Amino acid sequence: MPEVVRSVEISAPPSGVWRWLSTQQGLRRWLAPDIEIDLRVGGAYRMLGADGQTWISGTVLELVPEGRLVLSWQEEQAGWVHPARLVITLEPITSGTRVRLVHDGFAGIGKPGWAETWEAYERGADKHEVLHRLARAVPTGGA
C-alpha cells in the first residue's frame, strides 16, 4: 500500500514535542497557521493545505498522549470519496524523540488517478518540510 513516510529526530523528550501536537496553537506553529481543530477523538478539523490552495478536513481518529496523533485526511473539492490518514508518532530515543509522519490510504480515496495524488504528496513532503518546521518550533536542549 503506497505511503508517504518521513521522520526527524528532535533533541527534546516526547513530552516536550507532544505539546506541539496536542494544542491548536502548537499545530498552528508548524502544521498550518489557520488550523481549526477539536483535539479529541471524533473532533473535527479544517485547514488550508501547505500548497496554499487546497482545503483539508477530517476528524481526529486517535490521540495518545506523548505517543500518537492520527487524523483522517480529505482534500475538499478534489473528488475524494473516502479520506486518507495522517499518522504522527513519537518514539523516545536516547537523544530525545523520533517523530514519524505517515500519510497512507491513498489507494482507498476512491478517486481515479489516486496514484498521481500519492506521487504529489511524496513530492510535497520534501518541498514543504513539515517535520523540519516542527523541529524548529520545539525548544531543545537535550533529552
Side-chain angles (χ1 to χ4, degrees), residues 55-109:
W55 284 95
I56 307 293
S57 60
T59 59
V60 177
L61 301 175
E62 290 183 49
L63 190 65
V64 178
E66 299 181 22
R68 183 171 159 109
L69 173 63
V70 182
L71 304 174
S72 68
W73 186 275
Q74 187 153 356
E75 290 187 7
E76 298 178 3
Q77 309 298 317
W80 294 27
V81 179
H82 306 288
R85 288 188 325 159
L86 176 69
V87 180
I88 303 168
T89 56
L90 306 182
E91 175 190 351
I93 57 175
T94 303
S95 61
T97 304
R98 179 175 295 114
V99 181
R100 186 169 189 253
L101 181 146
V102 177
H103 268 290
D104 65 15
F106 293 102
I109 65 174

Side-chain angles (χ1 to χ4, degrees), residues 8-140:
V8 68
E9 293 183 6
I10 300 176
S11 297
S15 60
V17 178
W18 180 249
R19 71 183 200 99
W20 298 95
L21 277 70
S22 63
T23 67
Q24 181 170 272
Q25 296 78 12
L27 289 166
R28 284 181 173 174
R29 176 81 187 267
W30 67 275
L31 183 61
D34 59 359
I35 190 169
E36 294 289 333
I37 188 166
D38 179 2
L39 273 160
R40 61 182 173 84
V41 173
Y45 77 92
R46 187 170 192 251
M47 66 183 198
L48 188 59
D51 66 1
Q53 300 173 11
T54 306
W55 284 95
I56 307 293
S57 60
T59 59
V60 177
L61 301 175
E62 290 183 49
L63 190 65
V64 178
E66 299 181 22
R68 183 171 159 109
L69 173 63
V70 182
L71 304 174
S72 68
W73 186 275
Q74 187 153 356
E75 290 187 7
E76 298 178 3
Q77 309 298 317
W80 294 27
V81 179
H82 306 288
R85 288 188 325 159
L86 176 69
V87 180
I88 303 168
T89 56
L90 306 182
E91 175 190 351
I93 57 175
T94 303
S95 61
T97 304
R98 179 175 295 114
V99 181
R100 186 169 189 253
L101 181 146
V102 177
H103 268 290
D104 65 15
F106 293 102
I109 65 174
K111 175 184 175 181
W114 64 264
E116 288 83 13
T117 301
W118 165 66
E119 290 168 357
Y121 272 74
E122 187 67 42
R123 289 188 304 274
D126 294 326
K127 178 181 178 182
H128 301 297
E129 298 185 321
V130 173
L131 286 182
H132 294 290
R133 293 196 317 250
L134 172 62
R136 287 190 298 270
V138 175
T140 60

